[in-house]
Amino acid sequence: MQKNILVIYYSQTGQLEDIVRNVAKPFEEKKEEYNVTYYNIELKKDFPFPWSNDVFFNTFPESYLQIPSEILPPSEEVLNKKFDLILFGYQVWYLTPSIPIISFLKSGYAEKILKDTPVVTISGTRNMWMLSQEKLKVYLKDLKAKLVGNIALVDRHDNYTSVLTVVRWMVGGQKEKSGLLPAAGVSDEEIIGSVKYGQIIEKHFSGNTLENLQPELVKNGAIEIRPFLVRVEKVGNKIFTIWSNLIMKKKEKRPLLIKFFKVYLMAAIWVISPIVLVLHLLTTPIFWVKRKKQREYLQGINLK
């Protein structure tokens, strides 16, 4: 009897769709054993791509505060079929699962689809996904889903280069290499190579050993933790909490506050972030053991 596999995702640029389809390939190739269904989350009013500068920054408060938008209903096939495994692809917007993902998770459809089902989360991001994954873990727990694995593919370039390339891509629509800047996003090699993670997932799923899945994914490079970026995320979450609440509270001043936030964000990336890096390096010997435990936790699937 065929097992039912559901692939959930929302992808503006197509990068995440390429990733989840590559991860799903080993299931697709065994058609006699698996029936694979794809569910592309659709908003009633979608976001543009490429983004305009104004819209990109204007989504910040709702993104960070996890305020949902209305989604179109999933198909009857997705709603009425019992799935044996879900591959859940998501993007990160402003250190938080994207508005389309939050909108799905807060819809009436999510629990019906996810409840009591093993879930492997898959992200394709610039580089800061760690605390966003922690937020997603809470949603999955509340929806009674069973998180069994996590894969996080990132842009491998340094933090400052990837800022420039992702802005060029999101606002200008150009992913390709230009001038001194490399191509944006997850490399084509890693996207194509992500099929190996699908092979690992299929092996543990068919062998009924999903409890051993995450250690093998980690062993094969599915999770890279950069302690410096964890620190940046923690600082960023504190700052974003202040800014997002201020903008939502002062509705009449929103356009002006968004402009101030944009200037502040650029200053934080280019001025404050290097200071955080220096402090991180200076304190590495002191906090080595603590950061090792932190890395091991973030590579895992449990929720504190």
Side-chain angles (χ1 to χ4, degrees), residues 7-10 16 20 87-91 101 120-123:
V7 183
I8 300 174
Y9 67 95
Y10 173 85
L16 186 63
V20 296
L87 305 179
F88 192 103
Y90 77 100
Q91 298 171 308
I101 293 298
V120 178
T121 50
I122 305 166
S123 58

Side-chain angles (χ1 to χ4, degrees), residues 161-177:
T161 298
S162 64
V163 167
L164 295 173
T165 57
V166 79
V167 170
R168 180 191 63 188
W169 188 17
M170 294 298 104
V171 178
Q174 183 184 347
K175 181 179 182 179
E176 300 77 17
K177 175 182 178 181

Side-chain angles (χ1 to χ4, degrees), residues 165-203:
T165 57
V166 79
V167 170
R168 180 191 63 188
W169 188 17
M170 294 298 104
V171 178
Q174 183 184 347
K175 181 179 182 179
E176 300 77 17
K177 175 182 178 181
S178 64
L180 297 175
L181 292 177
V186 179
S187 71
D188 291 341
E189 291 77 15
E190 283 203 63
I191 292 174
I192 294 168
S194 63
V195 69
K196 71 179 179 182
Y197 302 126
Q199 292 166 346
I200 293 169
I201 297 167
E202 194 281 326
K203 180 183 74 172

Side-chain angles (χ1 to χ4, degrees), residues 244-260:
S244 58
N245 283 299
L246 176 64
I247 293 168
M248 294 302 288
K249 184 179 179 181
K250 303 286 187 179
K251 295 188 187 308
E252 73 284 357
K253 296 182 179 178
R254 178 173 178 134
L256 181 62
L257 288 171
I258 290 289
K259 289 179 181 178
F260 283 151

Side-chain angles (χ1 to χ4, degrees), residues 123-140:
S123 58
T125 66
R126 185 174 74 87
N127 57 20
M128 286 188 275
W129 58 269
M130 287 78 74
L131 299 189
S132 178
Q133 178 71 8
E134 292 301 292
K135 297 171 187 177
L136 184 55
K137 285 179 184 178
V138 174
Y139 280 101
L140 294 176

Side-chain angles (χ1 to χ4, degrees), residues 242-287:
I242 295 169
W243 272 103
S244 58
N245 283 299
L246 176 64
I247 293 168
M248 294 302 288
K249 184 179 179 181
K250 303 286 187 179
K251 295 188 187 308
E252 73 284 357
K253 296 182 179 178
R254 178 173 178 134
L256 181 62
L257 288 171
I258 290 289
K259 289 179 181 178
F260 283 151
F261 168 73
K262 177 182 174 181
V263 173
Y264 178 85
L265 184 60
M266 292 300 104
I269 291 170
W270 296 105
V271 179
I272 299 174
S273 182
I275 295 171
V276 174
L277 174 58
V278 171
L279 292 173
H280 173 83
L281 294 173
L282 290 174
T283 56
T284 293
I286 302 171
F287 296 112

